Amino acid sequence: METVFFKGQPCHTCGSVPSIGETAPCFHLAGADLSQLLCTDFAGKRVVLNIFPSLDTEVCARSVRRFNEEAAKLDDVAVICVSMDLPFAMGRFCTIENIKNVVFGSAFRSPLFGQKYGVQLVDGPLAGLLARCVLVLDENRRVIFRDLVEEITNEPDYDAALKVLRNEV
């Protein structure tokens, strides 16, 4: 169980986020067009899992915009933005915001995603949604960066994640 905060109030997750060096669990998500997204679809690429509660919050929307902008500059990297939002909302957000460099993955059909990755909130005002977390996985799905954001209303450490992706650490 991990402890994070929502506006200072402690909240807990259903398990633990994979640690650096661990192999991340395979995932099965719904794409913005209702297609299936599987971990095997990204074999051979480094993957950024940008996990957050909902696109309907400004902090979450900012994280998607930032990774969309930065992903265009990186080779062999897939950025997957994961939340419990419905694929329809994700598709609408992509259209309105002109998002083209990230992939959206809804966990609405995959409750095990939040459990396997230890990010499903089990209490507090956002119970049932996903905590804010950025994981960077190497080509073999090993975790090479982990940022479980302590205060959900804060943005993740983009620069640290990008340094890992650029091999600057």
Side-chain angles (χ1 to χ4, degrees):
M1 177 181 297
E2 306 268 5
T3 300
V4 293
F5 297 86
F6 178 69
K7 298 182 179 179
Q9 177 183 347
C11 305
H12 302 93
T13 67
C14 63
S16 295
V17 175
S19 297
I20 291 176
E22 285 184 45
T23 299
C26 196
F27 54 81
H28 177 265
L29 301 165
D33 61 357
L34 296 175
S35 64
Q36 289 187 9
L37 293 177
L38 304 172
C39 64
T40 53
D41 296 338
F42 304 94
K45 289 189 172 197
R46 292 173 295 152
V47 173
V48 176
L49 290 174
N50 178 28
I51 304 165
F52 51 83
S54 175
L55 285 168
D56 287 326
T57 69
E58 187 53 37
V59 175
C60 298
R62 265 197 312 269
S63 75
V64 171
R65 287 185 206 107
R66 175 78 184 265
F67 278 119
N68 178 64
E69 184 180 298
E70 299 293 342
K73 303 172 189 172
L74 303 170
D75 293 325
D76 295 322
V77 173
V79 178
I80 305 170
C81 296
V82 183
S83 72
M84 294 296 282
D85 290 307
L86 292 176
F88 312 111
M90 293 176 162
R92 183 176 58 249
F93 182 84
C94 285
T95 300
I96 292 169
E97 296 286 335
N98 197 29
I99 302 291
K100 296 180 180 173
N101 300 316
V102 300
V103 176
F104 280 97
S106 174
F108 89 105
R109 277 194 222 143
S110 306
L112 290 180
F113 176 88
Q115 295 167 18
K116 286 182 185 179
Y117 277 84
V119 292
Q120 183 175 352
L121 295 165
V122 296
D123 57 15
L126 301 179
L129 296 178
L130 305 178
R132 185 175 317 287
C133 182
V134 174
L135 292 171
V136 177
L137 313 179
D138 72 6
E139 296 84 351
N140 299 306
R141 256 190 15 251
R142 274 192 318 265
V143 177
I144 57 174
F145 177 80
R146 175 190 192 271
D147 181 19
L148 176 62
V149 180
E150 186 175 13
E151 172 56 57
I152 294 171
T153 60
N154 291 340
E155 293 182 64
D157 189 346
Y158 305 109
D159 293 334
L162 293 166
K163 281 182 181 179
V164 167
L165 286 166
R166 293 184 192 119
N167 298 313
E168 295 175 358
V169 287

